[in-house]
Amino acid sequence: MKPLNLTEKIFTNHLVGKTELPPAGEVITIKIDEAFTQDATGTMAMLQLEAMGVDKVKPLSVNFVDHSMMQSGFRNPDDHEYLRTVSQRLGITFSPPGTGICHFLNIENFVKPGMTGVGADSHTVNAGGMGALYFGAGGYDVALAMATGEYTIPMPKVVKVELTGALRPGVMAMDVILKMLSIFGVKGGKGKIFEYTGPGAATLSLTERATITNMGAEMGASTSVFPSDERTKEYLESRGRGADYQPLAADAGAEYAEQVTVDLSALEPLIAIYPSPGTVETVAARAGTKIQQVCIGSCTNSSFENIASFAEYLKGHRVAIDTLLYPGSRAVAIQLANAGYMSTLLQSGVRVMENGCGACIGQGGSPPSKGVSLRTFNRNFPKRSGTPDAEVHLVSPLVAAASALTGVITAPDREVTINQVPQVDDTASFGQPLPEAEAQKVEIIRGPNIMALPDFDPLPAKLAGEVLLKLGDNISTDDIQPAGKYLPLRSNVKEYAMQATFNLVDPTFAERAVAHRDAGGHGILVGRENYGQGSSREHAALCPRWLGIRAVIVAQFARIHVANLVNFGIVPLTFKNIEDYDKVQQGDKVTVDVSNLEGDLSMEVNGQQIPLVAAFEPKDIETLKLGGALALFKTQKAA
Ligand code: MIC
Ligand code: SF4
């Protein structure tokens, strides 16, 4: 039999409707072992799940609350109550606020080697550290996976990342993924799965591996995966989950589409410079730059080892600047306390915040105007921190510690040895699914923040309207649909669209779009490379659709976003010749004949015909024609 790489093995074990894997690019459907949401994507996903008429979810399903926890008013607590009760009703495990960050809790408690999963968050790929294939997706696709236990994805290419050597003191897993970003950039991972292997992989702990797979999202990768080996076993046993272990690795002689080698011994501390995780330099090159803030935590770097190393480095000293800590989970926070590190952190002047996403998604912790913030997080897109002219750079926990003590960017100059104490079990925090009979009786609580899903029209034969925005490269979903202070509006499409869609790019956008929509126009957006990078938030498609956007025409899309556009009936198209981008201006009147989505596509603008290419799959045509995925689901169910 042909030797298989690890990705092929896990996919083959989960294939639906086929016995062999298709070539890269063709869509495959896989059985999903786990599906999850977090609160900021979860309410919409749950409304869609309810609209599908689902009574009980199929795979292991979890709703985590970790993003929107400020509760300054009724909106977030309403969302949490809805998520708690809808979880009870539909057989979903519920992780209440304060338990921790979804991806971190997921590896602590739910993911097992060899599993497949889909989560309504782009960093779902974090689970790859456990030898599992997990994908980020929009809320609708996650709801569908909960309903059917299946997920469809274009078959990615598999890239072998051979790790050699071992990290030197002061160099951390964050530096490995920053090195990968320096090689591949923010779109070099598109359509790929990074499979890490080699002797260097064996030197990395499970949580170090998760730091690396986590930020595969920043390269636009479909996902990343490590083998399951003695280090995996060690982690699972330390969490009392030894029975969940199974060894998993690629066969000798397995084939890969590409290969790259990273020598861990040659790495030095790195930094991703604002405004992109892909602009990587050495910390040494930036040493001495004044900073105003340090933040540690996020789903990327909030393990016990990360925070304990940070605390050890600070021990006996005081931080020179505002320093905020967001532990990954309550279990980690308790473990830090048991090891004596909570008092070290507090005595050093660190502000210990809630276990959750916090400053990473602009829920508090904004830097001052023109401030520079050093964060152990995964994203530093413009304005995401909540301060429009602040800069965020991304670094490892040890660089964060060294810099917090000096107030300038500083490379760590001494080794730390951490005090190891047993891991903590916090499974008591979860709301477990109820027995079926009890679940049926649960009343779903919908406070005034929970709005009904909007209905959308089918696709007309011809789109005729205006280019409402012309954008450049790398437009992130944070640019399209900002989070931060707008997060409490996630369950209210109209308000979220009117207040936030593209408001950081052009504050007149929402009003212009609504006026255009109400005058019968079909809104068109134009952009360039890597449109929709970053977060999986389907609101970046849902809100524009509510504002009357019917087509987005760019050079290239990020994977999750293109699926979200289709799910909400926005036609994703790419320029056949990228030079044509210059022929279209904001305000131009455009017509696109969409009566035959299978055929050749083009747009007419300024008396010229510009050829376009479908960025959707043939399987998406029915969805687009009906105006969105929910409409298709309902039609198929009725048939
Ligand atoms: C992010 O890091 O951007 C988020 C917030 O976790 C998003 C999800 C969301 O917008 O709710 C993500 O990564 O998908
Ligand atoms: Fe939360 Fe930040 Fe991770 Fe997104 S990237 S899940 S906001 S910690």
Side-chain angles (χ1 to χ4, degrees), residues 67 101-103 121 123 298-299 357 360-361 378-379 384:
H67 278 64
I101 306 174
C102 53
H103 310 301
D121 192 284
H123 292 104
S298 93
C299 54
C357 300
C360 180
I361 194 53
N378 49 34
R379 288 193 173 137
R384 181 174 160 108

Side-chain angles (χ1 to χ4, degrees), residues 597-611:
L597 291 175
E598 287 93 348
D600 288 342
L601 292 159
S602 64
M603 71 169 156
E604 196 190 313
V605 58
N606 302 322
Q608 304 177 67
Q609 251 347 96
I610 294 183

